[in-house]
């Protein structure tokens, strides 16, 4: 992954255009979230940075571990622009790799643990990872992905105490970062003089995140140090996070680098409570035991809370702040969650915008409105983050903003420092995404008179289930391969638990038979299980006069299903 070097900023002295005031070491440092880690070590060395089960690590310890990991990666030959991949849930190793990989110039590629082997193989090959860390519970699927690769990355295991699977390699993460471990002869020696390394250029890549493949193969989204630092700070200021929050990891760290929160938590010396298994019980237990103040997640997390059994619910000792995104949560869900003592902030963004870049910024005067009206206002996606320069809803052809009348539809457009560098190894897709000087989201929305936007639909028929993007085309391709299927189209069906689930409308070939469970099982043999349809409807498909399937009709039918 090659990084271009941008020139340092140059300012001119007021009143004398012939005397420049160039940037220099005394007044300019490239923006990077790596500096947040060293500050927390210096200022709050003994504060708890990570809690995982019975284990606790201070910011001093995390700093030492990250620096050791960077030194070992450098000894393995990782240089600026090299990709280091990891397949793991929310465990300390993944948190620390958000710092150790870029500390040696590398680019972190955190891979979704729910993906199938073919997709993992594509990501590893396309990204060109040189080193791969794998949690024991993902060993089987990663081994399957590696079988047909011409050149596999160097493998290391993450031997988490709560995992069940076998390790993928003989050397685990803890041995990897320990200069005194018993496996030193199997590893290149760390440089004892390895020091702290900020990027030479803030435009240098820090992370490579793959989209969910909603229009074919996943695309590699490249983040830079500048954007990561700015969005990490935007999370703090926009959410009004005070110093030392206790943050519960219900949002996967592999998803947009946990919406940049590993770096946010280093900036304000917060505590990360790692949560490997997410349920109403584990959420309430963590809140009660550790005094959790903040967590993020898709609407499915809200449903866990609403539908928790009485035996799991624990009274909140203080308000708990929740940031939610993905499929817009219904106002009724927001009202129900807030009635339990949780405080919701609704956000919106994409992988290409470092996660959330839009939030429903709250006005104090709205507190006097009836709860139902508050929930309606809060269900809107909102306005731009502090570090986002431009946000608008525009006609994608004319590139003119739509009227702010709450009814004119356009495409959501972004512009600014928290928009990706571009798509890795895909110049055409990058040029198309940035056409007209804005990033085209592909999402359709309206803007209310007060400037708050509301998402109406996904222009690419994306289904968002439990916070994960699912391609209707990918499901359709799997079903079309069944010998009994003549025609198929997939749409989103609202679901109280997952937000949305795939609903497949199928027309069978004459004389052929298949039932709902057979087709669902067919998909489960070919796709990651979370992508498979949960509902199959057998009927003729609605079409235009030219034979194109009318997906808007399918969405209406899916909404009307009992």
């Amino acid at each position: 992954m090659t990084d271009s070097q941008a020139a340092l900023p140059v300012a001119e002295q007021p009143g004398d255009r012939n005397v420049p005031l160039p940037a220099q070491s005394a007044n300019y440092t490239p923006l990077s979230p790596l500096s947040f880690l060293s500050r927390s070590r210096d200022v709050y060395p003994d504060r708890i940075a990570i809690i995982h089960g019975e284990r606790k690590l201070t910011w001093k310890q995390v700093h030492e571990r990250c620096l050791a990991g960077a030194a070992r990666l450098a000894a393995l030959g990782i240089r600026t622009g090299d990709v280091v991949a990891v397949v793991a849930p929310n465990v300390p190793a993944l948190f620390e790799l958000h710092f150790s990989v870029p500390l040696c110039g590398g680019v972190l590629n955190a891979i979704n643990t729910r993906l199938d082997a073919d997709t993992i193989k594509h990501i590893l090959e396309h990204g060109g990872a040189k080193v791969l860390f794998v949690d024991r519970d993902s060993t089987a699927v990663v081994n399957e992905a590696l079988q047909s690769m011409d050149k596999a990355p160097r493998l290391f295991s993450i031997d988490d105490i709560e995992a069940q699977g076998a390790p993928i390699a003989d050397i685990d993460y803890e041995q990897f970062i320990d200069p005194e471990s018993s496996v030193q002869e199997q590893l290149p020696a760390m440089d004892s003089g390895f020091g702290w390394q900020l990027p030479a250029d803030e435009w240098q890549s820090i992370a490579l995140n793959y989209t969910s493949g909603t229009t074919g193969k996943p695309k590699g989204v490249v983040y830079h140090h500048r954007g990561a630092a700015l969005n990490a700070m935007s999370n703090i200021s926009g959410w009004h996070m005070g110093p030392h929050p206790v943050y519960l990891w219900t949002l996967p760290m592999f998803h947009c680098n946990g919406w940049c929160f590993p770096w946010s938590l280093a900036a304000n010396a917060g505590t990360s409570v790692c949560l490997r298994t997410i349920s109403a019980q584990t959420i309430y237990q963590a809140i009660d035991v550790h005094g959790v103040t903040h967590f993020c997640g898709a609407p499915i997390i809200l449903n866990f809370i609403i539908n928790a059994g009485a035996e799991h619910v624990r009274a909140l000792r203080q308000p708990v702040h929740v940031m939610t995104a993905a499929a817009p949560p219904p106002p009724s869900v927001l009202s129900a969650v807030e009635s339990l003592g949780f405080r919701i902030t609704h956000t919106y963004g994409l992988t290409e915008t470092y996660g959330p870049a839009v939030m429903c910024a709250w006005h104090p005067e709205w507190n006097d409105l009836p709860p139902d009206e508050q929930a309606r206002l809060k269900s809107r996606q909102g306005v731009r983050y502090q570090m986002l320069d431009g946000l608008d809803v525009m006609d994608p052809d004319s590139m003119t903003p739509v009227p702010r009348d709450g009814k004119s539809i356009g495409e959501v457009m972004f512009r600014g420092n928290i928009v990706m560098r571009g798509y890795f190894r895909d110049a055409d897709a990058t040029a198309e995404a940035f056409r007209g000087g804005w990033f085209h989201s592909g999402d359709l929305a309206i803007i209310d008179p007060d400037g708050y936007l509301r998402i109406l639909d996904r222009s690419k028929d994306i289904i968002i289930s439990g916070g994960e993007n699912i391609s209707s085309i990918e499901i359709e391709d799997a079903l079309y391969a069944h010998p009994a299927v003549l025609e198929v189209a997939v749409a989103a069906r609202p679901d109280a638990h997952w937000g949305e689930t795939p609903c497949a409308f199928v027309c069978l070939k004459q004389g052929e038979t298949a039932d709902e469970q057979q087709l669902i099982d067919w998909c489960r043999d070919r796709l990651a299980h979370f992508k498979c349809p949960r509902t199959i409807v057998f009927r003729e498909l609605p079409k235009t006069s030219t034979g194109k399937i009318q997906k808007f009709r399918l969405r209406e039918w899916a909404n009307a299903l009992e």
Side-chain angles (χ1 to χ4, degrees):
M1 179 174 292
T2 302
D3 289 287
S4 61
Q5 295 293 316
L8 294 178
V10 176
E12 294 179 342
Q13 183 173 346
D16 188 350
R17 299 182 62 84
N18 297 317
V19 183
L21 295 174
Q24 52 188 293
S25 60
N27 61 16
Y28 174 78
T29 302
L31 282 176
S32 172
L34 300 181
S35 61
F36 303 154
L37 178 61
S38 61
R39 181 181 184 275
S40 285
R41 185 278 313 267
D42 292 342
V43 182
Y44 303 106
D46 299 322
R47 289 198 69 89
I48 299 300
I50 300 176
I51 298 174
H52 184 44
E54 299 299 318
R55 189 182 191 191
K56 294 182 179 180
L57 296 168
T58 66
W59 278 108
K60 179 181 179 181
Q61 290 172 315
V62 169
H63 178 275
E64 292 172 348
R65 289 163 60 85
C66 291
L67 198 60
R72 183 76 77 189
L73 287 168
L76 282 173
I78 297 300
R79 299 293 182 263
T80 299
D82 289 342
V83 175
V84 175
V86 56
V87 183
N90 293 339
V91 293
L94 181 50
F95 183 94
E96 293 171 355
L97 287 166
H98 276 79
F99 297 91
S100 56
V101 172
L103 273 171
C104 68
V107 181
L108 178 64
N109 175 206
I111 299 175
N112 188 336
T113 59
R114 299 174 67 186
L115 293 176
D116 57 89
D118 286 343
T119 306
I120 292 174
K121 175 189 174 184
H122 167 75
I123 290 172
L124 292 173
E125 289 182 332
H126 185 266
K130 293 188 175 182
V131 174
L132 173 61
F133 295 90
V134 182
D135 179 82
R136 285 195 288 128
D137 280 349
S138 293
T139 294
V141 68
V142 173
N143 270 333
E144 184 181 348
L146 296 173
Q147 285 178 2
S148 57
M149 287 182 62
D150 293 334
K151 185 178 181 181
R154 179 75 183 269
L155 296 174
F156 296 96
S157 176
I158 297 176
D159 193 14
D160 185 61
I161 192 171
E162 297 181 10
Q164 302 298 317
I168 201 168
D170 293 335
I171 301 175
D172 69 25
Y173 176 80
E174 294 297 328
Q175 295 170 318
F176 182 87
I177 65 173
D178 182 2
E180 306 298 329
S181 72
S182 59
V183 298
Q184 293 310 299
E185 67 279 2
Q186 302 176 47
L187 291 168
M190 296 181 185
D191 179 1
S192 59
F194 183 87
W196 189 264
Q197 181 178 328
L198 286 173
D201 178 6
E202 61 189 22
W203 191 248
Q204 184 174 307
S205 300
I206 190 171
L208 174 63
N209 293 302
Y210 280 80
T211 64
S212 297
T214 54
T215 57
K217 290 291 186 182
K219 294 192 289 289
V221 175
V222 182
Y223 292 176
H224 49 67
H225 282 252
R226 177 180 177 84
L230 291 173
N231 212 39
M233 295 304 295
S234 245
N235 284 336
I236 295 171
S237 58
W239 207 7
H240 305 294
M241 295 179 81
H244 316 307
V246 180
Y247 182 91
L248 180 64
W249 278 102
T250 55
L251 174 77
M253 286 188 220
F254 60 66
H255 182 48
C256 307
N257 298 108
W259 294 352
C260 294
F261 273 99
W263 301 312
S264 297
L265 291 162
N268 62 358
T271 299
S272 284
V273 180
C274 293
L275 191 60
R276 187 183 186 94
T277 302
I278 302 170
S279 66
Q281 180 179 4
T282 57
I283 290 172
Y284 270 111
Q285 183 178 28
I287 291 172
D288 186 55
V289 172
H290 301 297
V292 168
T293 60
H294 295 75
F295 66 86
C296 297
I300 184 175
I301 302 298
L302 307 184
N303 284 320
F304 282 155
I305 295 169
I306 295 171
N307 299 308
E311 69 276 16
H312 301 316
V313 175
R314 304 190 186 189
L316 302 184
R317 291 176 286 178
Q318 60 187 356
V320 177
H321 299 272
V322 182
M323 181 182 286
T324 189
S332 59
V333 171
L334 296 177
S335 292
V337 174
E338 295 219 321
S339 69
L340 298 172
F342 296 88
R343 299 292 176 259
I344 305 295
T345 297
H346 188 195
T347 63
Y348 156 71
L350 303 93
T351 304
E352 291 88 340
T353 62
Y354 295 73
V358 177
M359 65 166 34
C360 189
W362 195 249
H363 291 242
E365 57 268 28
W366 293 349
N367 291 327
D368 297 327
L369 297 173
D372 289 349
E373 178 62 11
Q374 290 188 37
R376 185 193 69 80
L377 291 171
K378 192 163 286 190
S379 68
R380 301 182 299 174
Q381 280 67 33
V383 295
R384 69 181 186 274
Y385 256 32
Q386 291 92 334
M387 301 301 179
L388 180 67
D389 181 63
L391 172 72
D392 216 331
V393 177
M394 307 171 75
D395 182 311
D397 297 320
S398 67
M399 294 300 293
T400 57
V402 303
R404 299 191 172 196
D405 55 11
K407 60 183 180 181
S408 298
I409 301 174
E411 183 179 359
V412 182
M413 306 275 186
F414 296 83
R415 183 166 63 188
N417 289 307
I418 56 174
V419 174
M420 64 171 180
R421 288 187 61 177
Y423 294 116
F424 186 48
R425 294 179 176 168
D426 199 336
D428 290 342
T430 300
E432 177 60 24
F434 291 156
R435 180 172 49 85
W438 290 76
F439 168 63
H440 294 240
S441 71
D443 293 336
L444 304 179
I446 58 177
I447 291 190
D448 286 337
D450 63 357
Y452 282 59
L453 70 81
R454 286 186 284 155
I455 299 293
L456 295 183
D457 203 354
R458 305 285 178 170
S459 62
K460 301 170 186 176
D461 295 312
I462 298 169
I463 300 167
I464 306 179
S465 183
E468 301 287 347
N469 290 350
I470 301 173
S471 168
S472 60
I473 295 173
E474 185 177 9
I475 302 171
E476 289 162 4
D477 288 345
L479 285 169
Y480 266 120
H482 192 282
V485 172
L486 176 65
E487 293 179 326
V488 60
V490 175
R493 178 185 180 186
D495 185 273
H497 183 70
W498 296 101
E500 295 176 345
T501 57
C503 176
F505 294 86
V506 175
C507 181
L508 297 177
K509 296 175 182 177
Q510 187 173 3
E512 296 286 347
T513 59
D515 61 29
E516 181 178 37
Q517 192 58 51
Q518 287 174 335
L519 294 184
I520 291 174
D521 290 343
W522 173 272
C523 291
R524 289 173 68 88
D525 288 339
R526 289 158 177 79
L527 301 171
H529 288 186
F530 78 93
K531 295 183 178 181
C532 297
R534 291 176 176 256
T535 309
I536 305 286
V537 178
F538 295 93
R539 63 172 302 166
E540 290 187 9
L541 305 183
K543 300 174 183 176
T544 66
S545 58
T546 59
K548 186 177 180 180
I549 294 173
Q550 296 174 308
K551 281 210 167 181
F552 74 93
R553 293 285 304 278
L554 298 182
R555 288 191 290 271
E556 292 173 356
W557 293 349
N559 289 340
L561 290 173
E562 295 294 331

